[in-house]
Amino acid sequence: MEAEFPALVSARLGDRVAAVEVFPGTLGRVRFRAEAALDVFRSMRDDFAFDHLSMVGGIDWVDHREVFYVLWSDARRAYVILSTDLPAENPHIESATPTWPGANWHERETWEMVDIHFDHHPDLRHLLMPDGYVFHPLLRSFKLHEPEELEVKTRNV
Amino acid sequence: MNASSVTTASGTAKAPGTELPVVTQPGVPFIEIETLRAKEFLPAAKEALSAMIAERGREDLTQPVFNWAGRNSLFPLHWGLACCAIEFAAAFGARWDAERFGIVPRSSPRQCDLMIVNGTVTWKVAHKLIALYEQMPEPKWVIAMGNCATGGGPFRTAYSVVPGVDKLVPVDLYIAGCPPRPEAMLDGILKLEELIRERKE
Ligand code: SF4
């Protein structure tokens, strides 16, 4: 299974997948094109039986952002990682919540921390910070503030 | 009184068949005596009291009583924000037994007069903390327990942490430490009791 997985993915998803890289402890790291996100999610769930979404995360690489999904399959007893690059300007991608409802809070957190917009998310609002918080604190451009400064900026939360 | 009581003994040589004389006790019943005494005493007491009030003010006389009651039954809010809450919990365990000072944690802010902020206050929890504080009846006190509540502690510059709970509610007493040991917490509460002893309001 492990060996033929990249070929199976390429056969099933064609050019929607750019590459399947080796990633230790998983079946592979599937680099997909962001525009085809919904197809990739559906296919992973329905064709490859990855029925559980473990986590969603985002990384700010300064010149672009990366968003990744860790999937678990009970049938295969294996992980796989989906990953894609988004532009640094206005990064947005289709939400995985309709496919895996567990993505809901993960995407809220990813949006809050690294400012990646998830289209068609049912409820994209702050998770860990109060409503009205204006920063995305895990972006590299975010500077640690002096407490007094931060207090002024968050006073009306 | 004496005269009437001896009359009973006057007819010692009674003819047989004559009725026994009725023993009369013309004294006043006990309760009436007390009432009379009270009537005598009360005006004097009232006078003395109003003289004291005129001299020192009513609050001066009643406030120590309320302060005494308040400082011996401080009810802190039973909650925990972070690691300091573990020490807070330990202080009420068998070893330190904070209840011997009359400190009984209550689960509703409406029954509390002391808020011990025992941990890191984040911006997310800030307005809940204020809501809890507002629900506590007056008079109320706030203790900032630990470095986090005092000034943000190790997270002072973090994006999510309030740098000191005194930015949100008035704090009466700060306890330093990360975390303060239960002895320090008890010492802080005893110091707060000293503050309450001197309270005039
Ligand atoms: S002061 Fe230290 S022990 Fe107390 S809440 Fe902060 S980090 Fe935890």
Side-chain angles (χ1 to χ4, degrees), chain B residues 69-151:
Chain B
R71 74 169 183 270
N72 284 304
S73 62
L74 278 173
F75 287 5
L77 186 60
H78 194 182
W79 71 331
L81 287 174
C83 11
C84 276
I86 306 296
E87 303 297 306
F88 175 83
F92 293 94
R95 183 156 179 182
W96 286 278
D97 191 20
E99 286 190 19
R100 68 202 144 117
F101 301 112
I103 308 161
V104 186
R106 308 294 308 190
S107 301
S108 161
R110 295 170 193 234
Q111 300 168 345
C112 296
D113 46 13
L114 171 61
M115 175 185 263
I116 299 181
V117 184
N118 44 20
T120 322
V121 185
T122 58
W123 286 110
K124 183 89 172 176
V125 89
H127 69 275
K128 279 116 185 160
L129 186 144
I130 294 173
L132 286 170
Y133 177 78
E134 296 291 341
Q135 285 184 67
M136 285 163 50
E138 294 275 1
K140 51 191 168 188
W141 295 274
V142 177
I143 290 182
M145 179 184 180
N147 294 353
C148 283
T150 302

Side-chain angles (χ1 to χ4, degrees), chain A residues 20 24 41 52 60 74-75 84 91 94 124 141 150:
Chain A
V20 181
F41 297 155
H52 174 68
D60 177 17
D74 268 341
T84 189
E94 197 62 36
L124 200 61
S141 55
L150 191 69

Side-chain angles (χ1 to χ4, degrees), chain A residues 113 127-129 133 137 142 144-145 147-148 150-151 154, chain B residues 122-124 126-127 151 156-161 163 167:
Chain A
M113 290 296 159
L127 178 69
L128 300 173
M129 302 305 295
Y133 192 77
F142 179 82
L144 280 186
H145 297 261
E148 288 68 27
L150 191 69
E151 183 212 345
T154 46
Chain B
T122 58
W123 286 110
K124 183 89 172 176
H127 69 275
R156 183 169 168 80
T157 50
Y159 57 86
S160 57
V161 172
K167 305 275 188 295

